[in-house]
Amino acid sequence: MTHRTSRAHLLGFASVVALSCMAAPAFAQSAPQDDATTVDEIVVTGTRTVGRTRLDTIAPVDVISGEVLTRQGTGTELAAALSASAPSINFPRPAISDGSDHVRPATLRGLAPDQTLVLINGQRGHISALVNVNGSLGRGAAAFDLNTIPSVTLGSVEVLRDGASAQYGSDAIAGVVNLRLREANSGGNVTVNYGRYETDFDTARGSHSRSDGEQVSVAGWIGLPFYDDGFLTLSGELQRRDPTNRSDYATPAATPTGSTTTVLGRFGDPEVESRSLWFNLGNPLDAGWEVYAFGGVVDKDSSSAATARAFNNSNNVLSVYPNGFLPLIETHINDYNLFGGFRGPAWGIDWDISASWGRNALDYRVENSINASFGAASLRSFRAGGLVYEQATFAVDGVRPLDIGLAEPVNLAFGVEYRNEDFQQTAGQQASYIRVPGSSATGGSQGFPGFSPANATQRDRSNIGAYVDIEGNLTEALTFGVAARYEDYSDFGDTLTGKVSARYDFSPAFALRGAVSTGFRAPALQQQYFSYIATNLVTTVVGGVPVTNLIQSGTFRVDDPVSIALGARDLEPEESVNYSLGAVFRSGPFELTIDAYQIEIEDRIILSENLGPTRPSQSAATTAAVLGIIQPLGVSSARFFTNGLETTTQGIDIVGRYRLDTDTAGRFDLTLAGNFNDTSVDSVPGVPVVSIPVSPNFLFDRSNILAFEEGTPSSKIVGSVDWSLGDFSATARATYYDSVLIANNASALDYETGDDTLVDVEGRYEFPIGVTAAFGVNNLFDEYPNFTPANLNPPTGSVGFPQFSPYGFNGRFVYGRLSYSF
């Protein structure tokens, strides 16, 4: 395996932090305690003890205020705002990746998107109906869609950077993101955002200048009294985002006129129109009890492009598209959340009795396309089917103090939870998936063939879990935590996880903390039962030369006879062991946290290789044998989900903050934070017991191994300054991304994104009438990753830049914001 290190970056960063640490006491003063950057911010994630502050927790927790999230110029792209604020979170922007363009995944600590649990007000959120099956980062994952939550609806976000399956259940291997909704019984705000990309960039075949991706949004919230002492907070957003395009020029052979400056593809962000409405309600009852409810609905239309088809493509019909065509994949996404419950004291216990329901539905359409097997009689627009995921939970939680003779009573938390999940896959219209008998052309809607009745399914499962969580002080200086959780699933059985953690405060200024825990992630229903036959862009090496072709590729369920013949078995849960050790230092307005971690994961669920095409690691005999199994089904490759990947992720998070108040120059909040991360693949899925000759990398080849190891930056450093003076304020931020490897199965085709530093700036002025105007530029110096080499780009030039770029590939974004608070 290949490993990149960031020793020089780490040493340089540590030196800066050390100098800051030595300098900090000279400026020691009492820090104001009025925002989410102050040390007394109370957190609820990772601890069930009331009153723990951000710097008093046993595990590291980042707190990002809603105000910070709305200052990113990113509209409803919550994942982008979190990535800009937390070094351990990355949000690449895939393109030409089918559904992944519309439900774009984020990662924590370089792990899979579905290895981070997302909570809403402390309760489990539901994942998306989509499972990522193409070549984007997070391939094979079925994760929560952070971008269904508009920033305006949030009061703060807490990011727990530690394994927490014993406390919260499945998925919390990398950590937990807790989205805390805004809570107010008065006041409000209305904000109008406008922005667009103004950029110049080079691709392999020439230079470009673009002004595109216009974004317009109107967002607001209002706090209302509810009965005498309750609150009702309503929030919502309307947004429109135009697409961006960073495609390369097509080759002369791909255009009817032989032009060298024709752009046929569309590679970039999708076109989006979204509407969202959320509420958060609480009201006290008698005897210290209260009722609460919260939830929201998101309705979103999105359109992205598939790979452009040249006029002379074998699956084009010249009489219909004489210049070729660009298929558009469109989705309509509905996302629903509804939570409610009662909490209060009884029998010396603080109870929380809750229920929730969530649903994510994604319907596909394909426009500007054709089913070539019909010839000129084909439709141009197709209904391609859909995906639905539902989740319902019922939980009872209790917390009570226990006096067992220690320095203070320990906090005992316990609870049970029942959860039911349902996954549906529905077929598209017949013309979207069939092939006309006798036709030599490919069937199905080009760009995204629809789901067939053979793909349609509805499956459900249930599980029940129970946990106990004890936290307290053995002495005034030593805090400990012990947690255990048992879960029993109706499909794969039961699992038990545990966690032991401790913290020792040597003084009010310095503490050490650490934890050891086991974790798990249950196989998603989508990973077990999703199936699909698609037209994919695949680059193979023939005689040492890369050849790009469009082929029919089948994704089969793990219980399908084809999958079983190729070695598939029932999926088991992923299992992890997490180790962490950290330090906390604070002195007046200065604070510094350093947390090292190691995460060992077994039986990671992956999507296998496309079995059938020629691969450098496979013999001709293997390829022929696989094709003998799958060709009778009308496909040229097959893949399925499987367990067996083992990885180790090691890293360190460093966060330093300092606040400086001056009489004449205003207040400065300075932050310097970094994540240094390395993942190694320790074992790939073993050779299956099948009656065909196979190689050691039969199920998981070089490019996918290296995507795990080097598909996210090994170091990311964020430095920011927030300044305010009277009615003026400003933010400046610089983010360094280490280079990411774009690996292929033939090493000669590897290339890197390159390391880059992006600079974002924003200035604000608050008028006396409650109106604030802001103007900002993200990526001020118009940085781009290295472009896709010409020999890896199809003749249509559809792929301008690598999808694994940790900051995307859109260039400079200029925006303005006008808000009114009341």
Side-chain angles (χ1 to χ4, degrees), residues 124 140 281 357 482 556 667 716 798:
R124 174 180 288 268
L281 177 150
W357 172 81
V482 178
F556 294 88
R667 189 183 77 184
K716 177 184 173 185
S798 290

Side-chain angles (χ1 to χ4, degrees), residues 618-801:
Q618 301 298 312
S619 67
T622 298
T623 300
V626 172
L627 291 175
I629 294 174
I630 64 178
Q631 280 184 332
L633 294 163
V635 296
S636 55
S637 69
R639 58 188 180 183
F640 52 87
F641 286 92
T642 186
N643 290 101
L645 191 73
E646 296 183 7
T647 63
T648 299
T649 298
Q650 296 176 320
I652 184 169
D653 292 319
I654 305 177
V655 181
R657 294 186 174 93
Y658 181 71
R659 170 168 288 179
L660 176 64
D661 276 304
T662 68
D663 294 330
T664 57
R667 189 183 77 184
F668 297 84
D669 289 296
L670 299 94
T671 301
L672 185 61
N675 170 254
F676 305 88
N677 193 77
D678 180 83
T679 293
S680 63
V681 172
D682 305 319
S683 177
V684 298
V687 176
V689 181
V690 292
S691 57
I692 58 175
V694 296
S695 74
N697 285 351
F698 176 66
L699 293 178
F700 208 61
D701 223 330
R702 177 183 185 275
S703 63
N704 280 315
I705 291 172
L706 289 175
F708 273 80
E709 293 186 330
E710 303 186 34
T712 57
S714 61
S715 59
K716 177 184 173 185
I717 302 172
V718 180
S720 66
V721 178
D722 280 297
W723 167 80
S724 61
L725 177 62
D727 296 326
F728 290 92
S729 60
T731 300
R733 178 176 56 247
T735 306
Y736 168 82
Y737 296 92
D738 194 17
S739 183
V740 168
L741 179 69
I742 311 302
N744 284 272
N745 284 336
S747 60
L749 303 179
D750 292 351
Y751 68 104
E752 301 241 359
T753 63
D755 53 351
D756 286 300
T757 299
L758 275 61
V759 175
D760 307 328
V761 294
E762 179 181 291
R764 298 173 292 274
Y765 180 75
E766 184 176 354
F767 295 91
I769 57 175
V771 174
T772 299
F775 176 78
V777 183
N778 289 345
N779 194 356
L780 177 65
F781 299 110
D782 210 16
E783 298 289 344
Y784 274 86
N786 294 332
F787 50 69
T788 301
N791 65 333
L792 296 180
N793 211 338
T796 55
S798 290
V799 183
F801 294 93

